[in-house]
Amino acid sequence: MSSIYTGPVFEMARSQFHSVADFLEIPEGQRDRLLYPKRAITISVPINMDNGEMAVFQGYRVQHHLTLGPTKGGTRFAPTVDIGEVSALAIWMSWKCALAGLPYGGAKGGVTVDVHTLSRRELESLSRRYMQEMIPFVGPHVDVMAPDMGTNEQVMAWFMDTYSMYQGRTVNEIVTGKPVSSGGTEGRREATGLGVAHLIFRSLERLQLAAADSTAIIQGFGNVGSFAAIELARQGVKIIGVSDHTSCLFDRRGLDVNAMVDHAARNGSLRGFSTELAFDPSQLLVQPCDILVPAAVERVIDAEIAAKLDCRILAEAANGPTTPEADEVLNQRRSEIFVIPDILCNSGGVIVSYFEWVQDLQQLFWHKTEVIERLKGLLDNAFMRVMERVEKDNIPHRTAAMAIGVDKVAKAKATRGLFP
Ligand code: GLU
């Protein structure tokens, strides 16, 4: 089937899907229906800039399937955003939600923009106008947005407020990842990073390694990377390398995570944190360490880097950090490198988003300890199911995780019929 879904990130999602479909022996005739999105919306988002000019940005929302309930997934404001990237991310959300046992299909959306060039007022205009254009296509039981790269709690509050203004009442349950003061849940902000750390500890246990004797390198110091770093460090892991889009820092003796978090909170990035510790970012991922956490963008680990990785655990906190060619290398290095695949590793975010949605629908709010306990329960369950599948079928971790997700959606489609 020829389609509008093109580009390297989409090709990656397509190639991963076909290898899992081969493994599951899904007939050719059923594959397009499982892979291609149900809906893709493209919009023009005009806003008035501070300089008096009007600018028009391109926006997207892709809703992958409606088979299990509403669609769910983040909104990304980044220069790389296009229909191919957003659809790949929507497809990954589907397998992620199915693996975690959430009643959702996957979605993802975004605007092609470098948020660092926008003033706060311009960002608010862009956020509000994006949601306004999306009103006909979203809803608490249709499609529920959340933060992703370049968006945050404030953007979610503007989304919720814009949607609510058009309904004439407050509709908290339209997006997740909101500030706690506006119907958000306790624990959502740290959920993805905390989940990443939790699964790393589970993996260390399986490998019989002690957290206190382990070192970690983290690429990306946004919402996910920074909370993962805090939790790993809190439990004794030595963080020896960290990078974000402005700087890369490395110290074998260990970095001061709390000082970096404070610096990033004050300055918006790690820029200017230290000149002595500066390191070549192209070499960060291949430094020897126990735990490697890519927590930034897609496709940072290609076949060449995969061959050079010198870690015991690869915890994929980002979506799609490892290319299919790199996967082939990693499959051969299975006894050396324990992969926590992205759709499992970063699922803590959408799991707590699900808790936020449930709380908003019921207007019954939980204590943070309850949120975290339930989060760990769902993560442990998904981790256990992936490990059981790995052992039963003697397959790589990613194949096992995706097989569980794809199989669930395929079965639901088979029992329902053609509509969803
Ligand atoms: N954007 C996040 C992800 O990629 C969170 C999605 C959500 O919470 O709905 O998983």
Side-chain angles (χ1 to χ4, degrees):
M1 176 170 131
S2 79
S3 80
I4 58 162
Y5 306 105
T6 54
V9 189
F10 186 78
E11 277 312 308
M12 219 181 116
R14 203 171 70 89
S15 148
Q16 287 176 345
F17 168 74
H18 279 290
S19 40
V20 172
D22 288 345
F23 167 73
L24 291 172
E25 297 176 354
I26 296 175
E28 278 296 334
Q30 289 175 24
R31 294 191 184 188
D32 282 355
R33 199 170 148 239
L34 272 166
L35 177 67
Y36 287 101
K38 184 79 178 170
R39 292 184 191 131
I41 299 128
T42 306
I43 56 172
S44 294
V45 189
I47 63 166
N48 290 317
M49 304 297 280
D50 291 348
N51 65 7
E53 308 261 307
M54 191 192 70
V56 181
F57 296 89
Q58 290 274 293
Y60 306 95
R61 184 76 182 164
V62 170
Q63 300 167 347
H64 180 223
H65 75 81
L66 313 177
T67 314
L68 297 170
T71 46
K72 184 85 195 77
T75 303
R76 173 174 285 201
F77 287 176
T80 54
V81 166
D82 62 24
I83 192 79
E85 182 185 74
V86 162
S87 10
L89 290 159
I91 293 166
W92 289 328
M93 282 306 301
S94 286
W95 316 143
K96 191 189 302 188
C97 291
L99 172 63
L102 311 182
Y104 295 135
K108 198 73 130 209
V111 175
T112 318
V113 60
D114 180 355
V115 273
H116 302 106
T117 63
L118 299 180
S119 69
R120 186 181 159 91
R121 193 205 60 79
E122 289 167 343
L123 179 64
E124 176 170 355
S125 298
L126 185 71
S127 306
R128 288 188 179 279
R129 186 63 192 236
Y130 174 81
M131 174 48 96
Q132 190 179 328
E133 298 292 342
M134 287 296 166
I135 286 175
F137 311 106
V138 298
H141 294 284
V142 179
D143 183 16
V144 181
M145 295 183 190
D148 198 83
M149 270 166 55
T151 57
N152 56 20
E153 289 178 11
Q154 176 61 73
V155 172
M156 295 307 115
W158 287 325
F159 281 177
M160 185 273 276
D161 185 64
T162 303
Y163 186 87
S164 297
M165 278 161 52
Y166 281 80
Q167 300 295 320
R169 65 191 169 88
T170 296
V171 188
N172 289 139
E173 58 275 24
I174 184 60
V175 296
T176 61
K178 300 177 297 292
V180 174
S181 57
S182 293
T185 182
E186 296 285 350
R188 175 63 184 87
R189 188 184 299 166
E190 52 272 66
T192 316
L194 209 60
V196 169
H198 182 74
L199 292 168
I200 290 172
F201 295 128
R202 282 282 174 270
S203 308
L204 286 169
E205 276 164 29
R206 279 188 83 88
L207 297 169
Q208 297 184 317
L209 298 172
D213 299 332
S214 302
T215 55
I217 293 177
I218 302 174
Q219 181 196 48
F221 208 62
N223 181 260
V224 181
S226 62
F227 280 108
I230 292 170
E231 186 61 13
L232 289 172
R234 197 177 72 83
Q235 303 220 26
V237 175
K238 194 196 285 181
I239 312 296
I240 58 172
V242 164
S243 71
D244 70 2
H245 65 288
T246 63
S247 71
C248 176
L249 307 161
F250 189 83
D251 189 349
R252 282 239 149 261
R253 293 165 302 173
L255 295 163
D256 184 344
V257 171
N258 290 330
M260 289 190 298
V261 169
D262 287 348
H263 181 94
R266 268 197 314 273
N267 304 287
S269 73
L270 289 171
R271 193 195 303 275
F273 179 74
S274 161
T275 42
E276 291 110 74
L277 304 174
F279 194 75
D280 177 0
S282 71
Q283 295 305 310
L284 186 70
L285 297 179
V286 296
Q287 295 309 302
C289 63
D290 298 302
I291 305 155
L292 180 66
V293 188
V297 292
E298 303 97 66
R299 300 172 67 245
V300 292
I301 300 174
D302 59 14
E304 207 184 312
I305 294 180
K308 290 195 211 147
L309 291 182
D310 195 353
C311 61
R312 194 69 191 88
I313 295 173
L314 174 62
E316 296 182 341
N319 289 309
T322 307
T323 67
E325 298 75 33
D327 257 338
E328 283 175 27
V329 178
L330 290 175
N331 291 348
Q332 269 154 25
R333 300 187 66 191
R334 261 159 77 187
S335 56
E336 296 162 67
I337 300 177
F338 185 101
V339 177
I340 312 176
D342 54 359
I343 58 167
L344 171 64
C345 191
N346 67 36
S347 63
V350 71
I351 289 173
V352 177
S353 275
Y354 165 61
F355 297 159
E356 181 173 335
W357 181 71
V358 167
Q359 291 171 72
D360 286 341
L361 286 170
Q362 301 185 343
Q363 292 295 304
L364 177 67
F365 291 90
W366 312 345
H367 196 270
K368 186 165 181 179
T369 47
E370 184 174 357
V371 173
I372 303 300
E373 279 318 298
R374 284 181 184 260
L375 165 65
K376 290 180 178 170
L378 289 197
L379 287 174
D380 284 342
N381 187 39
F383 183 75
M384 196 186 68
R385 287 168 62 224
V386 171
M387 289 302 128
E388 279 171 7
R389 192 74 181 245
V390 164
E391 276 150 27
K392 180 166 123 335
D393 295 334
N394 190 24
I395 47 175
H397 294 186
R398 187 183 323 283
T399 314
M402 282 193 54
I404 297 169
V406 172
D407 203 29
K408 178 169 175 187
V409 179
K411 287 214 169 86
K413 280 194 191 286
T415 49
R416 282 194 56 177
L418 273 188
F419 161 72

